[in-house]
Amino acid sequence: MKKLLGLIAIALVVIIPFKASAAVSISDVDGVADSEGIITAKIYMLVDEGEPFITKNINFTGQHAIIKSIEADGAWTKGEGSEISADGTSAKIVLNYSQNGGSFIGTGEKVQILTVKYIHDPSYTGSEECKLLYGFDGSTTYTVVEKTTPQSSTGSMLPYVGIIAGVALIATAYVISKKSNKLYSL
């Protein structure tokens, strides 16, 4: 009896394909601030190869951030019911695909779906981080991390090194040519 159950278990493992995948997921992104303090973040989605995409809701919540706009990219559109709250602290986007009769089949590669613009809440004076949280209904929540670039020093030492090396080479050539002339003079 044990052998029979063991054979059945092995047959089930071989017959029933196991597929552990997220099918549809959103990528983490960095937000880049411009000179006016507007942070722009591009939102990407990854749909497993061969998996169909079905219309989904993406929810945004600002933590000490005010959402200014959310635009769909490429063949993606914002469906009916998409809105940003009056105070700009939250948004709901109904994501649709506008080509192939609304049917998107995953390629296994990241696809840009939305561009979000937000600003820091000017009325907030605390020390908590300003960030934007987003995700599909009932799935993992992601965070837009504001990209900060360290202040780079102005200028480079390379031109100065080149000038010094050039002057040294000219001086060396001059000294060698003077010595060479003295050796051959009578």
Side-chain angles (χ1 to χ4, degrees):
M1 184 69 167
K2 287 183 182 180
K3 288 182 182 181
L4 180 61
L5 289 175
L7 288 172
I8 292 173
I10 291 173
L12 288 175
V13 168
V14 172
I15 294 171
I16 299 174
F18 287 100
K19 184 174 182 183
S21 67
V24 179
S25 61
I26 301 178
S27 299
D28 286 319
V29 299
D30 291 334
V32 180
D34 65 10
S35 60
E36 297 173 7
I38 297 174
I39 301 145
T40 302
K42 297 186 182 302
I43 309 292
Y44 294 88
M45 180 174 65
L46 176 70
V47 180
D48 287 350
E49 188 172 348
E51 292 290 325
F53 173 82
I54 300 169
T55 298
K56 290 188 177 276
N57 295 337
I58 301 177
N59 298 308
F60 292 86
T61 304
Q63 178 178 317
H64 315 300
I66 298 173
I67 301 167
K68 290 298 194 180
S69 70
I70 301 176
E71 298 301 323
D73 291 317
W76 301 97
T77 61
K78 297 187 306 186
E80 191 174 321
S82 296
E83 65 179 346
I84 298 175
S85 67
D87 62 359
T89 58
S90 65
K92 174 184 160 187
I93 301 299
V94 179
L95 187 64
N96 293 318
Y97 190 66
S98 66
Q99 296 179 351
N100 301 331
S103 176
F104 177 78
I105 304 299
T107 61
E109 296 179 13
K110 287 189 337 182
V111 177
Q112 184 175 336
I113 54 174
L114 298 170
T115 299
V116 180
K117 293 187 179 198
Y118 69 98
I119 61 170
H120 291 226
D121 184 352
S123 65
Y124 180 69
T125 57
S127 61
E128 286 184 4
E129 184 179 32
C130 169
K131 58 186 172 181
L132 190 63
L133 307 168
Y134 64 97
F136 291 124
D137 282 342
S139 72
T140 305
T141 301
Y142 298 90
T143 304
V144 173
V145 178
E146 189 174 343
K147 190 174 186 178
T148 55
T149 54
Q151 180 131 0
S152 62
S153 60
T154 57
S156 173
M157 288 298 294
L158 190 58
Y160 298 115
V161 170
I163 291 170
I164 292 170
V167 169
L169 284 172
I170 292 170
T172 304
Y174 178 76
V175 169
I176 290 173
S177 69
K178 280 295 193 182
K179 287 184 178 181
S180 297
N181 288 342
K182 286 183 181 180
L183 290 175
Y184 294 109
S185 61
L186 295 170

